[in-house]
Amino acid sequence: MKDLTDQKDLTDQKDYKQEDRCTLVLLAAGKGLRMGGDTRKQYMNFKGMPLFAYSLATMDNCGIITDILITVPEGDEEFCREMVEACGLGRKVRKIVSGGKERCFSVHNGLQAIDWPCDYVFIHDSARPFIEEQAIRRLYDEVKTHKACVAGVPSKDTVKIADSEGFVKNTPNRRDVWIIQTPQVFGFEMIRKAYEEMVASYDDLQRKGVIVTDDAMVVEYFTGCKVKLVMASYSNIKVTTPEDLVTVSAYLKENSDE
Ligand code: CTP
Ligand code: MG
């Protein structure tokens, strides 16, 4: 595996002053059903590194992130730790814990397992390998003011809201439509409490047909806090289906230093 230990730590070299403790909760506990194949999506190998290690490397190298927790499928904790060490990315990784049945339960497990000082939590899907440091910095700047912010990009496509029969109900103004990504970043106490409430009322949400697909939703439902949208980049794709692998290869080729 590629050794990444030679990457520079920004806290050591720039005018950067770290004031807060920021924990990354890196989600890698999914089943990768839409990707299919024998190897779970998060472990698929790209140029000698498993997919989950790409965003881990960026976060490891970013001085804003002080601590890292990774969620993995139950039983994979040791296997994942070995991969993290083999990539030379273990220095901030405090815990590797098992995730839950759905993404939201993995996040909840991760938040509950943080037992070190923490001001802000960055929740990131390991299925988004190309998160850029600039976006992390922007998010950090915004969360200090707003307590809740999410990475995203303005939609390039027109979006339609459908009715239950598959007809167009209405068309939101494209200017107001954002495609939401991760990281999603929050004050630690607020997001932990919001997730506790979400888990306690999960059955109720299900009965109402509410599917919790991101972290901002939990804040929207269970706190009075407004969530700020922060521009990330169109390259911060989520690797979801086999077609996405073409984009991953193209992106890796483009950024190759060979
Ligand atoms: N994830 C998780 N725990 C779950 C489900 C998802 O930690 N129970 C993580 C995935 O590993 C992924 C991120 O959440 O990094 C976003 O999920 P998604 O892209 O949907 O990945 P999978 O759930 O693995 O894929 P699929 O839905 O196709 O099964
Ligand atoms: Mg999923």
Side-chain angles (χ1 to χ4, degrees):
M1 274 174 192
K2 202 165 154 187
D3 179 24
L4 293 165
T5 47
D6 60 345
Q7 288 190 330
K8 288 177 215 87
D9 185 345
L10 289 165
T11 49
D12 291 337
Q13 43 155 287
K14 282 203 179 149
D15 46 331
Y16 179 69
K17 233 172 77 217
Q18 179 74 45
E19 288 162 357
D20 299 303
R21 298 290 297 263
C22 296
T23 293
L24 163 69
V25 171
L26 184 65
L27 299 172
K31 290 199 170 79
L33 295 177
R34 285 170 288 178
M35 181 60 72
D38 297 334
T39 306
R40 280 207 164 134
K41 181 170 81 176
Q42 56 273 47
Y43 305 139
M44 286 172 79
N45 193 298
F46 296 96
K47 293 190 148 203
M49 277 215 310
L51 181 68
F52 81 88
Y54 278 82
S55 53
L56 178 60
T58 305
M59 297 288 189
D60 175 70
N61 188 50
C62 175
I64 289 166
I65 303 297
T66 52
D67 307 275
I68 297 176
L69 178 147
I70 308 176
T71 71
V72 294
E74 205 175 341
D76 280 4
E77 294 85 345
E78 205 40 50
F79 172 60
C80 179
R81 170 62 73 178
E82 281 163 20
M83 277 190 283
V84 167
E85 296 302 338
C87 295
L89 296 173
R91 70 193 172 122
K92 294 181 188 172
V93 179
R94 285 185 170 245
K95 272 192 186 174
I96 299 178
V97 303
S98 65
K101 199 162 62 64
E102 304 291 341
R103 181 189 182 280
C104 59
F105 293 114
S106 295
V107 176
H108 177 68
N109 285 3
L111 295 173
Q112 292 295 317
I114 296 173
D115 55 6
W116 50 84
C118 177
D119 299 297
Y120 300 109
V121 179
F122 285 61
I123 302 171
H124 185 63
D125 294 340
S126 67
R128 293 190 188 273
F130 303 130
I131 180 63
E132 289 167 344
E133 172 145 354
Q134 198 187 24
I136 300 168
R137 291 191 174 278
R138 250 181 239 145
L139 286 157
Y140 177 54
D141 283 345
E142 295 290 349
V143 78
K144 286 196 280 191
T145 314
H146 302 290
K147 294 277 175 287
C149 61
V150 296
V153 286
S155 177
K156 291 181 185 179
D157 297 321
T158 296
V159 169
K160 303 276 186 199
I161 307 299
D163 68 14
S164 54
E165 265 89 54
F167 289 93
V168 173
K169 196 152 80 180
N170 58 56
T171 308
N173 192 330
R174 201 182 60 194
R175 261 200 339 246
D176 301 330
V177 177
W178 279 60
I179 305 300
I180 299 308
Q181 309 171 336
T182 66
Q184 303 202 355
V185 190
F186 310 94
F188 174 50
E189 290 305 333
M190 180 190 71
I191 193 69
R192 183 161 65 174
K193 206 156 150 279
Y195 261 94
E196 281 167 4
E197 287 184 42
M198 187 281 293
V199 167
S201 37
Y202 189 72
D203 292 343
D204 202 38
L205 289 174
Q206 287 239 296
R207 267 192 299 277
K208 287 182 190 150
V210 177
I211 307 166
V212 180
T213 50
D214 78 343
D215 314 297
M217 261 183 91
V218 179
V219 169
E220 291 158 40
Y221 268 82
F222 296 102
T223 79
C225 185
K226 282 179 83 174
V227 180
K228 176 84 172 152
L229 298 164
V230 176
M231 182 71 188
S233 67
Y234 290 95
S235 58
N236 184 24
I237 59 157
K238 184 152 79 68
V239 182
T240 308
T241 58
E243 301 86 73
D244 298 327
L245 300 178
V246 180
T247 317
V248 174
S249 298
Y251 191 85
L252 289 177
K253 213 167 275 165
E254 194 181 299
N255 288 280
S256 168
D257 32 41
E258 283 151 32

